[in-house]
Structures are given as structure tokens and as C-alpha cells.
Amino acid sequence: MITKNNSLSNKTGNWRTHRPEIDPKKCIGCSLCAKICPEACIEMKERLAVIDYDYCKGCALCVRECPVKAIEMKKDF
Ligand code: SF4
Ligand code: SF4
């Protein structure tokens, strides 16, 4: 039997205990976070980074990459 499986069906957001939150007032739209994200779940929309929490696994690489400290990890709910 062939099982359908791809990275889209693997919702890595379930792995998370903490979630990154972006302060839109601080974000300068440099897109470095989007480039470093291993899940490719940060999209630039009108020069603002937006996270798809269905796929964000909470690794915090984006937090380390942001040059203006616009991303903060917060406890997930
Ligand atoms: S915490 Fe990790 S997976 Fe989530 S948006 Fe940041 S880099 Fe991507
Ligand atoms: S790295 Fe920081 S400043 Fe750059 S797009 Fe991401 S959140 Fe915005």
C-alpha cells in the first residue's frame, strides 16, 4: 500500500513548547529570519515577517538571527 506523506502533512507545530512572537513595530523587514527558518514557515508579507504556527517547531533560530531583536520566545498555550 502506498501511503501519502510529504512535509506539508507533517505539522511540526505540534513539537513546540515555546513560540516565537514578532513585534511588528520592531521588524525592519530584512527577511533574515525567513531565510534561516529550517521549516520555511516564515513568510514576508508587505515587508513584515509572519509565522505559520502550524509548522513552527519552536527552535528559536529566528530569534538568534534577528538583528533588531524583534522576535521573542513566549510559552506556548
Ligand atoms: S522558531 Fe524555528 S521553526 Fe519556528 S519560526 Fe523560528 S526558526 Fe522557524
Ligand atoms: S529578522 Fe527580525 S527584522 Fe528581519 S524580518 Fe525577521 S523579524 Fe523582521
Side-chain angles (χ1 to χ4, degrees):
M1 189 177 83
I2 298 170
T3 313
K4 263 196 181 173
N5 202 2
N6 59 34
S7 58
L8 282 181
S9 65
N10 185 19
K11 297 215 168 176
T12 42
N14 294 335
W15 302 359
R16 204 175 54 231
T17 57
H18 288 71
R19 62 162 55 202
E21 284 186 10
I22 298 172
D23 183 342
K25 290 191 214 98
K26 289 187 187 168
C27 176
I28 56 170
C30 68
S31 82
L32 287 175
C33 57
K35 288 183 185 130
I36 198 82
C37 176
E39 296 300 322
C41 65
I42 304 180
E43 206 185 325
M44 299 307 297
K45 290 186 181 164
E46 293 172 9
R47 290 188 57 78
L48 181 68
V50 179
I51 298 169
D52 183 342
Y53 289 108
D54 277 351
Y55 298 97
C56 167
K57 62 186 176 188
C59 67
L61 283 178
C62 54
V63 176
R64 284 173 38 190
E65 195 68 13
C66 180
V68 293
K69 309 244 176 290
I71 316 175
E72 224 182 294
M73 293 306 281
K74 304 226 169 118
K75 194 158 171 45
D76 219 344
F77 38 83

